[in-house]
Amino acid sequence: MPLSRTQAMSTADVLSVAMPYIQRFVGKTVVIKYGGNAMIDEKLKASFARDIVMMKLIGINPIVVHGGGPQIGSLLEQLKIESHFINGMRVTDSKTMDVVEMVLGGMVNKEIVGLINTAGGKAIGLTGKDGELLRARKLKVKHKTPEMEAPEIIDIGHVGEVESVNVQVLDMLVHSDFIPVIAPIGVGEDGHAYNINADLVAGKVAEVLKAEKLMLLTNIAGLLDKDGQVLTGLTTEQVDALIADGTIYGGMLPKIDCALGAVKSGVRSAHIIDGRVEHACMLEIFTDEGVGTLISNDDIGVDASA
């Protein structure tokens, strides 16, 4: 059925608004951390895959890093393996790590690859073990109570942090028109696998590639001020001030620290975006309004898509 005049004009307006952004970002790398509702809801999964394929088709180089905490928890429950958390991190013994690798490197990773390929892209799934993409070191967790003179070092098993990223692997794929989809599993010098927070992996990948953008999909509208309003455009100095005055606290701090660290290390901008919105990635990149909070070294005011 042909478009009505109103529909045609609306489509033309959308393309007109997107054009300068397309011109600006062609050839640039965008790292997207994929998680939350966007990984669970079928309609959101399809829209995410289409967004990634569209980016690649117009000349942007997307790299996807995904999480999978709920899926890991669900399988552990089915297998009657009890989960323990310290400071919000899952204690990962050898048995739990086998499940983590099965879920992240297998089930979740291959589903995302399949979604992107079904939408017309050419995705390739990777873990940090492939080509030693993610070299990891064991994460040391410090715990301190007021009555303790010194912090206690707690061993939480196969949980790691990124030591280095093999850029050659990513360059080879990106320049061959493939879309890398990375499961956040690293490998240590001892050959052991380590479970790494997906936000941290996305941030580190963005840093080493000097990406144009780091996009972190969340289940909230963005970073909120003390009145519950979304803060759209922020400089790194403003974010530091919001942390200092307690506006940013609790569970949001690790994600903000990741975004802040990436921007301070050379990524042009980081975005905390609402993954519950269909086509959130496209809206954030190609519209003036965006759908979340942008953090940049530039004084950008309220423009969430700069």
Side-chain angles (χ1 to χ4, degrees):
M1 181 183 295
L3 293 175
S4 69
R5 181 177 177 82
T6 301
Q7 289 173 319
M9 290 299 294
S10 178
T11 301
D13 286 342
V14 169
L15 294 172
S16 178
V17 168
M19 187 177 70
Y21 294 107
I22 293 172
Q23 291 174 320
R24 177 174 174 178
F25 298 133
V26 165
K28 301 297 177 62
T29 296
V30 176
V31 178
I32 305 104
K33 188 271 177 158
Y34 179 47
N37 278 30
M39 283 184 70
I40 299 170
D41 182 275
E42 293 300 321
K43 188 178 288 188
L44 293 175
K45 287 197 288 189
S47 78
F48 174 81
R50 288 175 64 84
D51 285 0
I52 297 301
V53 173
M54 178 62 76
M55 285 186 209
K56 192 68 176 178
L57 286 175
I58 63 178
I60 296 172
N61 298 317
I63 295 174
V64 178
V65 178
H66 65 82
Q71 292 90 334
I72 292 169
S74 176
L75 185 53
L76 286 171
E77 189 175 337
Q78 290 176 44
L79 296 172
K80 295 185 170 28
I81 300 173
E82 195 171 348
S83 292
H84 299 280
F85 292 87
I86 294 176
N87 295 347
M89 289 176 284
R90 189 188 304 275
V91 177
T92 308
D93 58 16
S94 295
K95 191 181 293 185
T96 303
M97 190 64 215
D98 288 342
V99 174
V100 168
E101 289 199 77
M102 188 188 311
V103 173
L104 293 183
M107 183 176 70
V108 174
N109 187 271
K110 299 316 171 191
E111 181 187 21
I112 298 167
V113 167
L115 286 166
I116 293 172
N117 290 346
T118 298
K122 293 195 298 181
I124 288 187
L126 305 160
T127 74
K129 288 184 171 182
D130 295 308
E132 290 200 325
L133 173 62
L134 300 175
R135 175 57 67 89
R137 58 175 169 258
K138 190 180 183 69
L139 181 65
K140 295 179 180 178
V141 177
K142 294 182 180 181
H143 176 70
K144 190 176 188 301
T145 59
E147 56 273 10
M148 295 170 64
E149 292 185 7
E152 175 187 11
I153 305 298
I154 302 176
D155 186 348
I156 57 173
H158 294 264
V159 178
E161 56 187 343
V162 180
E163 188 171 61
S164 63
V165 178
N166 188 342
V167 177
Q168 286 182 310
V169 174
L170 297 176
D171 281 343
M172 177 187 68
L173 293 173
V174 166
H175 292 115
S176 300
D177 283 334
F178 289 104
I179 300 168
V181 178
I182 303 170
I185 298 168
V187 60
E189 286 187 359
D190 54 8
H192 290 156
Y194 289 92
N195 184 16
I196 310 176
N197 178 279
D199 288 335
L200 297 181
V201 172
K204 186 60 70 174
V205 168
E207 285 179 29
V208 300
L209 292 177
K210 301 298 181 193
E212 178 73 14
K213 292 178 182 290
L214 167 66
M215 303 176 73
L216 305 174
L217 272 67
T218 68
N219 285 341
I220 60 173
L223 182 58
L224 308 179
D225 64 18
K226 289 182 177 179
D227 296 320
Q229 301 299 308
V230 178
L231 296 164
T232 51
L234 296 169
T235 64
T236 53
E237 291 81 6
Q238 288 172 319
V239 175
D240 284 333
L242 290 169
I243 293 172
D245 72 11
T247 300
I248 303 172
Y249 67 95
M252 199 62 184
L253 268 174
K255 199 172 290 289
I256 293 298
D257 283 341
C258 169
L260 198 59
V263 172
K264 288 181 177 180
S265 298
V267 177
R268 187 172 186 277
S269 63
H271 307 246
I272 312 293
I273 64 173
D274 192 346
R276 301 168 301 178
V277 176
E278 281 190 65
H279 299 293
C281 294
M282 297 296 284
L283 290 169
E284 185 65 20
I285 294 179
F286 298 122
T287 69
D288 295 334
E289 294 81 11
V291 286
T293 300
L294 173 146
I295 301 170
S296 169
N297 280 316
D298 302 325
D299 188 5
I300 50 169
V302 296
D303 180 3
S305 297

